[in-house]
Amino acid sequence: MKTRHLLPIAALGGMLLLSGCGQTGPLPTFGKAITPEWITTDFDGQPGDEYIATSNLQDVVFNARGEIIGWYVKGYAGTPYIKKRADGTYDFSALTNQKGIVNMVAGRKALAVEDKAAGLDPAQAAETGAPTGLSTDLKANRQDAVFRYTQGGVTVTKTVTLHPRNFKVDLKTEVTGGPERVNILFPGLGKADNPRVQAYAQGGAQPAAVQGSGTLSVENVQYAALQENPSQIAHALIIRPQGGTQVNTTLTGGAQGLITASVPASSNLEVYGGKNELIHLYQSGYTELPGLFKPNFFGQISLLIVKLMEQLYKFIGNWGLVLVVLTILLRAIMWPLMQAQGRTTARMQVMQPKIKEIQEKYKDRKDMDSQRAMQAEMQQLYRDYNFNPAGCFSTFIPFPVLIALWSTIRNFEFDSGFLWLPDLAIPDPFYLLAVVYLIVNIGQLYVMTRKNPDMFRQQAFIYLIFLYFALTFPAGVTIYIILSTLIGIGQQILINRQVEKETASIGQKVEKAPARPAAKASKTIDAPKK
């Protein structure tokens, strides 16, 4: 398989990968990392303010009761869907139009406290005030707020802590002057019409689940979850009791998927609301929960990579340097495979002049005998240069590792920047990495096609297309690609020299070899005339 055949395939694969394999919506907006903060504003156009916790991963809108009325999970980290106008007001049209972003609650309310017999009804009015303790601590990875309201003589206090670098929300609820237990509602998952709703009881053997219409009750749960099928664009809402809180759940399936959690008047829950994707779940500590997420083959490789990254970080203490070391280690592991691929490429380049001669020789001869003769000469040329066309397929052997590595770095949430980069999880705000990416890939193309200038010119423009995508890559991904490509260029240069030295004498022997006898022309016997 020739490079000119592989490149369009790679281009198409890259486009599908970056678009989320069919996900609609915009690519990330170029710009700096979003500084997590609380925004107090009128979001819904109704009387009273709302309170928005914004970050690279999501924008979460609370009303004055501490109920989530908008839970917007970003498809691409760092995309600024909230625009601040010159007059200090905000433009929320990107959120409300929901183009390229999912509202997990989809017009409903999450974290709503309910006990209609005691007068607690999310659909009815309540006495509210502004939340207290609105604060953001980036070093501690937290955004805090305390919401308090009174309804039917019952006072509800919610202490909410969001974590900007992951999708977790800590929820502490105190209900005074009311019943001993209340319900907290967790609806989801946005546009998902039939999510899997399940819960795992403490000491249970397997999760209890409902999908489609129907309800199911599970007491004393270890966790309860709403999940779409795992992918880069799937979502999950997971509830875990904390601090000895006993949670009994009622699971509702179908288009109105819902978890109703019965909790004590004083309760402590951990809530995950975000992507149903392995790396984010792993970093949030959810992959060890039984029956929640089963990694596939690529996922198993991703787990090995992320655990290796964590071990390296313990010694190095800088995520940028971890990526540098990880790239070198992986290239060293894949060196033998890349060596075989590189030798195939180098031999093809050395053979190009001879291949062109044979093709020119037969370009105007399309009859079957001439085509057979051309194939025979090509096969002999391959034998002379010890070239195996099947060696091109070694290109695909490292793909599982490369795909898993891409997914790992793309979804990994780093807690620091590197050099001029404020955050390795979002694109370079100064576009320097994209320029370097273009240069090193053009350099790699030149090394691979140096003996075929026409092929170089034909394929170079594809990297201009990739330049746009490079502007949207998380900086950590781009660093890996650049370093890996530089190592690949060095390896290919060494291979080129070795192969040219090996084939120099072969070329001379081929030049001096006597010409092969031309294939005998077949004799044609005219049919007898009548």
Side-chain angles (χ1 to χ4, degrees), residues 390-425:
C392 294
F393 290 100
S394 63
T395 303
F396 299 102
I397 296 177
F399 268 22
V401 175
L402 297 177
I403 293 172
L405 183 64
W406 164 272
S407 179
T408 301
I409 299 177
R410 175 190 178 189
N411 293 292
F412 193 87
E413 292 302 321
F414 303 91
D415 60 2
S416 63
F418 182 58
L419 299 177
W420 71 89
L421 303 166
D423 192 330
L424 290 167

Side-chain angles (χ1 to χ4, degrees), residues 158-175:
K158 298 177 187 174
T159 302
V160 176
T161 300
L162 297 94
H163 302 278
R165 289 196 173 275
N166 53 51
F167 293 107
K168 289 198 298 185
V169 180
D170 299 328
L171 173 65
K172 295 181 180 179
T173 305
E174 294 283 345
V175 179

Side-chain angles (χ1 to χ4, degrees), residues 123-134:
Q124 301 300 319
E127 299 176 17
T128 62
T132 60
L134 288 176

Side-chain angles (χ1 to χ4, degrees), residues 127-169:
E127 299 176 17
T128 62
T132 60
L134 288 176
S135 63
T136 300
D137 186 341
L138 298 183
K139 290 185 178 180
N141 185 34
R142 58 190 295 158
Q143 294 170 279
D144 295 282
V146 178
F147 299 89
R148 183 176 290 105
Y149 69 94
T150 301
Q151 189 178 39
V154 181
T155 299
V156 178
T157 302
K158 298 177 187 174
T159 302
V160 176
T161 300
L162 297 94
H163 302 278
R165 289 196 173 275
N166 53 51
F167 293 107
K168 289 198 298 185
V169 180

